[in-house]
Amino acid sequence: VTAAAAARPVVLIACQGVDTDAWLAALGRELPEAEVRVWPEAGDLAEITLAVVWRCPAGVLGRLPNLRGIFSLGAGVEAVLADPQLPASVPLVRLVDPGLATGMNEFVTMRVLHYHRDMDGYAADQRSHTWAPRAPPLPQDRRVGILGAGALGGLCARTLAGFGFDVASWSRSPRVIDGVRNYCGRDQLSDFLRRTEILVCLLPLTADTDGIINRRTLAELPRGAFLINVARGRHVVDEDLIEALDSGRLAAATLDVFREEPLPPQHPFWSHPKITVVPHISAVTQVATASRTVATNVRLLLAGCSVPDTVDRSRGY
Amino acid sequence: VTAAAAARPVVLIACQGVDTDAWLAALGRELPEAEVRVWPEAGDLAEITLAVVWRCPAGVLGRLPNLRGIFSLGAGVEAVLADPQLPASVPLVRLVDPGLATGMNEFVTMRVLHYHRDMDGYAADQRSHTWAPRAPPLPQDRRVGILGAGALGGLCARTLAGFGFDVASWSRSPRVIDGVRNYCGRDQLSDFLRRTEILVCLLPLTADTDGIINRRTLAELPRGAFLINVARGRHVVDEDLIEALDSGRLAAATLDVFREEPLPPQHPFWSHPKITVVPHISAVTQVATASRTVATNVRLLLAGCSVPDTVDRSRGY
């Protein structure tokens, strides 16, 4: 092995449920200075310096002695952090990709507008051939609340504020978004919920946010509120959500994420008349844009620069 | 009658199907210098100088000898122009209201995003408890076309371009909208249609645009295109639309406007599986904002200034 070859970074794609051929081609193109391998054809594990992961097979990361960085292909990294063999001192970088953010912004805007304009009510009218126009509230009289004010929550909040909605965000620590009122910490969660007619969940999944949408918090929303969960299934307590819909506390919910995915065929969400189920497609990592983001982050890390969206393990995102 | 009283403008609200009490209160508030009356309690018709109209009872306008201006409460004025007793020389002003534009922008954005993200496909999957994620095209690879590039079409085109869609507009005469390619005149209609995957109709209804969405023009759209008609029912040839949906030429349509409104209960649109019917609610004239716009236009007209959105009767809008 020559010195030049030894210096060449070796990237291991260790993913399940993604098109690894497409990622191999894209990273080969975006990172020509690196050698890219795909698990399980990993060769000498001591040569691997960088790992690109999504539903990474258990234990792989613990077997890479010279690993310098781990790059997630998603914005949520709770599954990576749950790996007991995750090396403690290797930086873990989340994917905050423009393609992902674009998709999330589209989906959240669409569903907020859908509920704002009572499209489910008009669909029911159509089934009975009923012509019953209703004036919608002006957007400034419609209170939207975003749980989470990071890259995705911030973008959605700004877009919805641009449509004229009365938007607030809730986050762990204070966050400033133009035109959006921020509530922060557990102390202000009740005030945030009590004002929120359309609730969007874009939180990271951590010990603090696990099950945050439950009987108690749903009861603080105004009667007839709407929920859009595009974060993680574990944010929602399934039985409490169904109870809130059945009691009329919540008018309807759009769910993109579930405790078990694929959502099992017999799960009651599928056939609940007030629930719209979509199969984790609100924001899809797009190889074309995400491979560029990963390549940029790899180069920053190898150059010893600080990498945006490096996970703070103590807070979990 | 004193000179002061004689000089006081008298506004007649001559409307059907709107809340005339709300309009009386709002115009009284916004135009304190005027006297406001509601048809049929019009008093001496020779005193009326200004008319505010929506589905104006036939013949009323022809009986007002001292009329100086007519203010429509909608953006489309084809019904006013169809009144054979419409005074030929009195300015007619369309309503281009921020509240109306806001609602249209919400509705068009929502439905473009709905089709872009294949929400009808996912609804079908939900009915069969099928988990089948599909990556949507990036917005820059989705071609949206807006028929009409006026106040409403221009606003929607800019919003959709802001989401990153590849947006074009088509208009009678050339129109410049930032980031939007303009096609104009009948000569360029085919080129516009051939590129358009999601077609939005926001045209005024004139002799030129009556029936513009017909078998011939629908056949120029790429297979599997979508239609959103939020202009007038007469823009669409109903049977041709159903044929295009049944043949698969069109994938789906959202219709807010109809040749006969309310849409008759036995009309085939109600139960067509590919058609979403809403009861003319895409943009609702909001009394709070529209009364301010009307008051501003009344004052401009009385001051002898040019009034924006005065109808050019030769072109019909």
Side-chain angles (χ1 to χ4, degrees):
Chain A
V1 179
T2 67
R8 194 174 186 210
V10 180
V11 177
L12 177 65
I13 299 173
C15 299
Q16 297 178 97
V18 307
D19 182 346
T20 49
D21 287 346
W23 273 97
L24 178 61
L27 285 179
R29 195 169 52 240
E30 299 293 338
L31 273 176
E33 69 271 35
E35 180 187 337
V36 184
R37 302 176 189 173
V38 178
W39 181 266
E41 274 113 60
D44 179 356
L45 297 184
E47 291 170 358
I48 309 289
T49 47
L50 302 158
V52 170
V53 301
W54 182 251
R55 293 210 262 136
C56 181
V60 170
L61 294 174
R63 293 166 57 194
L64 307 173
N66 295 311
L67 199 61
R68 294 179 57 191
I70 303 166
F71 298 84
S72 164
L73 293 187
V77 291
E78 76 287 349
V80 184
L81 292 173
D83 180 349
Q85 284 154 72
L86 178 70
S89 60
V90 177
L92 168 62
V93 181
R94 300 190 299 135
L95 184 68
V96 178
D97 176 61
L100 192 80
T102 292
M104 189 59 86
N105 193 39
E106 289 174 359
F107 190 86
V108 168
T109 302
M110 168 181 66
R111 295 308 293 181
V112 168
L113 289 170
H114 181 96
Y115 288 134
H116 173 57
R117 299 302 298 267
D118 193 18
M119 291 301 287
D120 288 355
Y122 288 118
D125 288 350
Q126 181 173 354
R127 287 191 289 274
S128 61
H129 299 203
T130 300
W131 181 275
R134 302 178 282 283
L138 290 170
Q140 58 265 39
D141 298 326
R142 179 73 82 175
R143 298 189 303 281
V144 180
I146 318 269
L147 285 167
L152 298 178
L155 176 61
C156 295
R158 279 190 299 274
T159 300
L160 292 166
F163 273 94
F165 289 106
D166 182 357
V167 184
S169 65
W170 180 82
S171 49
R172 200 182 61 103
S173 50
R175 293 277 197 153
V176 177
I177 304 167
D178 260 7
V180 175
R181 174 161 177 194
N182 182 247
Y183 293 78
C184 80
R186 281 278 163 171
D187 285 355
Q188 295 179 20
L189 182 57
S190 287
D191 287 345
F192 167 83
L193 293 169
R194 279 199 288 262
R195 68 165 295 286
T196 292
E197 296 170 298
I198 303 179
L199 179 67
V200 179
C201 180
L202 271 166
L203 287 168
L205 182 62
T206 68
D208 280 345
T209 67
D210 199 332
I212 194 170
I213 300 170
N214 56 43
R215 180 184 306 212
R216 195 182 53 71
T217 51
L218 288 168
E220 296 189 290
L221 295 170
R223 196 170 175 79
F226 300 92
L227 169 67
I228 299 165
N229 185 19
V230 283
R232 285 291 183 262
R234 291 183 59 95
H235 285 122
V236 172
V237 177
D238 292 3
E239 314 81 74
D240 293 2
L241 172 60
I242 288 177
E243 190 183 292
L245 288 164
D246 290 345
S247 74
R249 162 64 51 190
L250 270 190
T254 295
L255 305 176
D256 179 50
V257 288
F258 305 92
R259 287 176 175 260
E260 185 181 347
E261 295 182 8
L263 184 64
Q266 72 284 4
H267 195 287
F269 286 168
W270 281 115
S271 50
H272 197 287
K274 297 179 178 176
I275 295 179
T276 298
V277 167
V278 290
H280 205 144
I281 50 78
S282 61
V284 176
T285 298
Q286 303 271 2
V287 179
T289 54
S291 58
R292 255 170 272 148
T293 304
V294 169
T296 301
N297 287 343
V298 162
R299 290 200 188 102
L300 286 171
L301 183 126
L302 293 179
C305 301
S306 86
V307 184
D309 307 310
T310 298
V311 173
D312 174 345
R313 296 200 190 181
S314 68
R315 58 176 202 180
Y317 61 95
Chain B
V1 179
T2 66
R8 193 175 188 212
V10 179
V11 177
L12 178 65
I13 298 173
C15 299
Q16 297 179 97
V18 306
D19 181 347
T20 50
D21 287 346
W23 273 97
L24 178 62
L27 285 178
R29 193 168 54 237
E30 299 294 336
L31 274 176
E33 70 271 37
E35 179 188 340
V36 185
R37 302 176 187 173
V38 178
W39 181 266
E41 276 112 58
D44 179 355
L45 297 185
E47 292 170 356
I48 309 288
T49 48
L50 302 158
V52 170
V53 301
W54 181 251
R55 293 210 261 137
C56 181
V60 169
L61 295 174
R63 293 165 58 194
L64 307 174
N66 295 311
L67 198 60
R68 295 178 58 191
I70 304 166
F71 298 83
S72 164
L73 294 188
V77 291
E78 76 286 348
V80 184
L81 293 172
D83 179 349
Q85 283 154 74
L86 178 70
S89 59
V90 177
L92 168 62
V93 180
R94 301 189 297 135
L95 183 68
V96 178
D97 175 61
L100 192 78
T102 291
M104 188 60 86
N105 193 40
E106 289 173 358
F107 189 86
V108 168
T109 302
M110 166 182 66
R111 294 307 291 181
V112 168
L113 288 170
H114 181 96
Y115 288 134
H116 172 58
R117 300 301 298 266
D118 192 19
M119 292 301 286
D120 287 355
Y122 287 119
D125 288 351
Q126 182 173 354
R127 286 191 291 274
S128 61
H129 299 204
T130 300
W131 181 276
R134 301 178 283 282
L138 290 169
Q140 56 265 39
D141 298 326
R142 180 72 83 175
R143 297 189 304 280
V144 180
I146 317 270
L147 286 166
L152 298 179
L155 176 61
C156 295
R158 278 189 299 275
T159 299
L160 292 167
F163 274 95
F165 289 107
D166 181 358
V167 184
S169 65
W170 180 82
S171 50
R172 201 181 60 101
S173 50
R175 293 279 196 150
V176 177
I177 304 168
D178 260 8
V180 176
R181 175 160 177 195
N182 184 246
Y183 293 78
C184 80
R186 280 279 163 173
D187 287 354
Q188 296 180 20
L189 182 57
S190 287
D191 287 344
F192 167 82
L193 293 170
R194 280 200 287 260
R195 70 165 295 287
T196 292
E197 296 170 297
I198 302 178
L199 179 66
V200 179
C201 181
L202 271 166
L203 288 167
L205 182 62
T206 67
D208 281 344
T209 66
D210 200 331
I212 194 171
I213 299 170
N214 56 44
R215 181 184 307 212
R216 194 182 54 70
T217 51
L218 288 168
E220 295 190 291
L221 295 170
R223 197 169 175 81
F226 300 92
L227 170 68
I228 299 165
N229 186 21
V230 283
R232 285 291 183 261
R234 291 183 59 92
H235 286 122
V236 171
V237 178
D238 292 3
E239 314 82 71
D240 294 2
L241 172 61
I242 288 176
E243 191 183 292
L245 288 164
D246 290 344
S247 74
R249 162 65 51 192
L250 269 190
T254 295
L255 305 176
D256 179 51
V257 288
F258 306 91
R259 286 173 177 263
E260 185 180 347
E261 294 183 8
L263 184 65
Q266 70 285 5
H267 195 288
F269 285 169
W270 281 116
S271 49
H272 197 288
K274 297 179 178 177
I275 294 179
T276 298
V277 167
V278 290
H280 205 144
I281 50 78
S282 59
V284 176
T285 298
Q286 303 271 3
V287 178
T289 54
S291 59
R292 255 169 272 149
T293 304
V294 169
T296 302
N297 287 343
V298 161
R299 291 200 186 101
L300 286 171
L301 184 127
L302 293 177
C305 301
S306 87
V307 183
D309 306 309
T310 300
V311 172
D312 173 346
R313 296 202 191 179
S314 68
R315 58 175 202 180
Y317 61 95

